[in-house]
Amino acid sequence: MDKHIETAAARFAALIASQLKRVENMAAQPDFIDYAKLDKLIIGVCGGDGIGPSITDAARSLLEELLHGEAVEFREIAGLTIERRAECGKAIPDDTLEELKACHIILKGPTTTPRAGDPWPNIESANVAMRKELDLFANVRPVKVPMQGIDWVFFRENTEGAYAVGSQGVHVTDDLAIDFTVTTTGGTERIVRQSFEYAKKTGRKRVTAVTKANVVKATDGKFLSIAKEIAAEYPDIAFDDWYIDIMTAKLLDEKRRRDFSVFVLPNLYGDILTDEAAELQGGVGTAGSANIGKRYAMFEAIHGSAPRMVEEGRAPYADPTSMLRASVLLLEHIGRAEKAQLLERALDICAIEERRVTVTGRDTGCTGRQFTEYVLETVGKIKGGTL
Ligand code: IPM
Ligand code: MG
């Protein structure tokens, strides 16, 4: 038995060392890149797997239209498919990672994450790997349902918590498995600050932290106490905190949910709560997400590659809205606020208000391509003043 403990303790020691190194690297990082100072902005485009290439292509065509004539290069990055990742046995093949690192911004379609029983080797999710490799610490996920007064923005911590060493847990014996969850001071400060700065910039009046600090005392306790400290620096913004269990219930409370505005939360709770929130908006297919770091930023859907849709021949009917919403976030992030508003307005008209054609995910609705044409046309009408 002692042998098992020794082996597990050695693994744990190595994990601690790697996390301490990460803390050091984080502290040494330069501040946010200034896109306005670049001669040329490079946007790397990875289509991913399943329905990924077609919905990413939709987003690319809208972005090309909106950024036409600007110093922006769109660069196709082909290596992020499940076939290639399986062949290399890596979440992101080395050469693909180098190509990604030569860009400023990445537009990424959903990628397949192998599950037990799949024909693929058990490699780590490409999303999770990219978030860690490029240190994309803030996962920003807006959800709005105007008819119900819902207008939420989630700031999900994206590099720590249960995901930091999620694929490095330890099987101590056949009967005992242990995983680890990680909270650092620097990692928490930067996400909480990001959420408050966003609230300040956009005139939002409330930030809500979500943890399970009553039970997960060391890591969630740390997250919450740092959130409280930082909240004190923003006296004009109300701060409150909720536990994740009751928070999932409150998102369904029609009388109270409209009062929430900005949320900040550790990785796993953010993963779960944003799927619930997106469902209220019309499904995960309608939600986009920004993954923001100081040097890089990546924009993606919040859903997966939908292999079932591909198997059933429904890929052309996949809804590109998630990637188009992600493109709004991309435009905002690179400082093209007016263009972001234009695309957002067009999407609201096409997906919520006018809905001249709708995507249903099957041949009962229009194809993703037809919907994209509709959005493009609507952008043109808004620009031309006829809408
Ligand atoms: C998400 C996804 C990923 C996550 C999966 C694909 C690993 O669910 O972006 O929310 O858990 O972060
Ligand atoms: Mg998720």
Side-chain angles (χ1 to χ4, degrees):
M1 182 56 80
D2 284 354
K3 183 91 193 68
H4 291 307
I5 296 177
E6 247 172 58
T7 313
R11 290 276 303 278
F12 191 28
L15 287 179
I16 295 173
S18 75
Q19 290 304 304
L20 285 171
K21 182 88 198 110
R22 204 171 63 78
V23 168
E24 251 176 56
N25 293 344
M26 221 186 313
Q29 231 180 29
D31 205 1
F32 280 99
I33 184 170
D34 183 353
Y35 299 108
K37 291 206 176 112
L38 298 174
D39 293 336
K40 184 174 71 173
L41 180 85
I42 305 172
I43 303 181
V45 182
C46 316
D49 307 306
I51 61 169
S54 74
I55 62 174
T56 307
D57 205 47
R60 178 184 175 153
S61 59
L62 266 148
L63 285 169
E64 276 177 339
E65 169 70 23
L66 287 162
L67 293 169
H68 184 73
E70 295 205 38
V72 175
E73 176 191 334
F74 287 85
R75 194 177 282 180
E76 198 68 38
I77 297 177
L80 207 68
T81 58
I82 184 67
E83 290 80 9
R84 183 80 208 300
R85 288 182 287 133
E87 183 193 311
C88 304
K90 287 205 156 171
I92 306 176
D94 293 339
D95 53 349
T96 307
L97 186 59
E98 285 318 303
E99 286 179 61
L100 291 169
K101 285 187 171 168
C103 303
H104 303 105
I105 299 287
I106 294 143
L107 179 69
K108 177 189 149 297
T111 45
T112 295
T113 303
R115 287 187 294 194
D118 278 358
W120 310 111
N122 189 23
I123 43 181
E124 189 184 33
S125 134
N127 306 30
V128 174
M130 201 183 296
R131 292 167 187 164
K132 287 198 251 177
E133 285 288 350
L134 305 181
D135 203 18
L136 309 173
F137 66 88
N139 191 329
V140 187
R141 298 183 160 184
V143 165
K144 63 176 182 187
V145 189
M147 282 82 85
Q148 294 171 29
I150 292 176
D151 185 10
W152 299 326
V153 183
F154 293 85
F155 282 76
R156 165 187 176 188
E157 201 295 319
N158 216 17
T159 51
E160 306 198 336
Y163 286 65
V165 287
S167 30
Q168 295 163 66
V170 182
H171 289 278
V172 180
T173 66
D174 284 347
D175 299 318
L176 174 65
I178 297 186
D179 269 314
F180 304 99
T181 183
V182 177
T183 297
T184 69
T185 303
T188 308
E189 278 175 358
R190 63 185 184 177
I191 187 71
V192 175
R193 212 170 277 292
Q194 191 82 356
S195 70
F196 274 95
E197 282 299 312
Y198 173 83
K200 192 168 142 188
K201 200 177 78 194
T202 55
R204 288 174 179 258
K205 296 275 171 266
R206 181 173 175 189
V207 173
T208 300
V210 184
T211 67
K212 189 72 188 177
N214 53 340
V215 174
V216 187
K217 290 185 193 286
T219 47
D220 279 10
K222 185 175 185 59
F223 192 97
L224 181 56
S225 71
I226 291 174
K228 285 181 178 162
E229 268 169 44
I230 292 180
E233 294 175 29
Y234 296 84
D236 297 338
I237 299 169
F239 172 77
D240 58 350
D241 84 274
W242 294 71
Y243 296 133
I244 180 67
D245 48 350
I246 186 66
M247 193 76 253
T248 60
K250 284 295 140 194
L251 288 198
L252 304 182
D253 179 342
E254 287 180 15
K255 285 197 266 341
R256 305 201 49 189
R257 63 184 177 193
R258 65 181 64 217
D259 300 336
F260 294 106
S261 180
V262 175
F263 297 85
V264 62
L265 62 183
N267 213 336
L268 184 58
Y269 308 140
D271 178 45
I272 297 166
L273 209 62
T274 54
D275 267 15
E276 185 193 4
E279 193 64 28
L280 297 171
Q281 177 183 261
V284 290
T286 63
S289 120
N291 296 263
I292 294 170
K294 293 196 170 163
R295 166 66 181 83
Y296 299 100
M298 180 264 278
F299 298 83
E300 62 177 351
I302 78 159
H303 57 78
S305 60
R308 200 170 325 170
M309 285 192 81
V310 179
E311 273 159 35
E312 293 172 6
R314 294 189 285 118
Y317 297 97
D319 190 351
T321 307
S322 54
M323 289 301 291
L324 300 180
R325 294 272 179 207
S327 306
V328 172
L329 298 170
L330 187 159
L331 290 166
E332 246 166 45
H333 182 69
I334 61 171
R336 308 309 198 267
E338 269 179 32
K339 295 184 177 184
Q341 275 160 19
L342 173 61
L343 180 56
E344 184 167 32
R345 186 71 205 113
L347 282 171
D348 286 351
I349 292 172
C350 297
I352 305 174
E353 297 162 23
E354 187 184 77
R355 304 181 60 183
R356 208 170 63 218
V357 294
T358 48
V359 223
T360 59
R362 35 191 88 239
D363 61 9
T364 51
C366 71
T367 63
R369 188 69 241 165
Q370 285 164 333
F371 184 76
T372 309
E373 295 296 336
Y374 176 32
V375 179
L376 270 164
E377 197 186 294
T378 307
V379 163
K381 284 187 186 165
I382 301 174
K383 267 172 78 182
T386 59
L387 236 182

